[in-house]
């Protein structure tokens, strides 16, 4: 059974979303970023940055997000440039 644990959320005003992913996962999993799986082994960081690059305020008909698992965390990147990483832990029944 999967149980949600610690969540780290970062709102990216300036900078790269891919860097925020690394910080959020490190915070949620309480690990040093140098000890984590490289982001490029999971998802293309340049493509992620292009997908969520800042744009002028535009009304969107559809909200979008990308989610994936990295180092035991569920990562969600939202179109408002918010990155959330939630530590997933196994609970014995």
């Amino acid at each position: 059974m999967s149980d949600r644990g610690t969540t780290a959320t970062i709102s990216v005003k300036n900078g790269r979303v891919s860097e925020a992913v690394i910080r959020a996962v490190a915070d949620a999993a309480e690990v040093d970023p140098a000890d984590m799986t490289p982001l490029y082994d999971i998802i293309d960081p340049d493509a992620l940055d292009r997908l969520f690059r800042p744009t002028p305020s535009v009304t969107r008909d559809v909200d979008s997000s990308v989610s994936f698992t990295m180092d035991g965390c569920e990562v969600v990147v939202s179109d408002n440039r918010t990155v959330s990483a939630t530590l997933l832990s196994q609970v014995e029944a």
Side-chain angles (χ1 to χ4, degrees):
M1 174 178 189
S2 178
D3 190 83
R4 292 179 184 272
T6 305
T7 298
T9 302
I10 298 173
S11 180
V12 183
K13 301 293 181 202
N14 298 308
R16 300 177 62 174
V17 170
S18 59
E19 292 172 359
V21 167
I22 295 166
R23 287 194 323 265
V25 171
D27 288 352
E30 297 180 346
V31 297
D32 187 308
D35 296 332
M36 295 172 23
T37 303
L39 182 59
Y40 58 79
D41 284 353
I42 311 290
I43 193 167
D44 182 336
D46 293 328
L48 190 64
D49 290 333
R50 281 191 307 273
L51 185 61
F52 293 102
R53 75 175 159 246
T55 58
S57 293
V58 176
T59 303
R60 297 181 185 211
D61 293 332
V62 178
D63 292 330
S64 59
S65 64
V66 171
S67 62
F68 54 93
T69 303
M70 178 178 178
D71 284 12
C73 291
E74 176 184 38
V75 178
V76 179
V77 182
S78 301
D79 61 3
N80 65 355
R81 295 177 48 86
T82 300
V83 177
S84 294
T86 303
L87 183 62
L88 301 174
S89 58
Q90 295 297 320
V91 176
E92 296 293 325

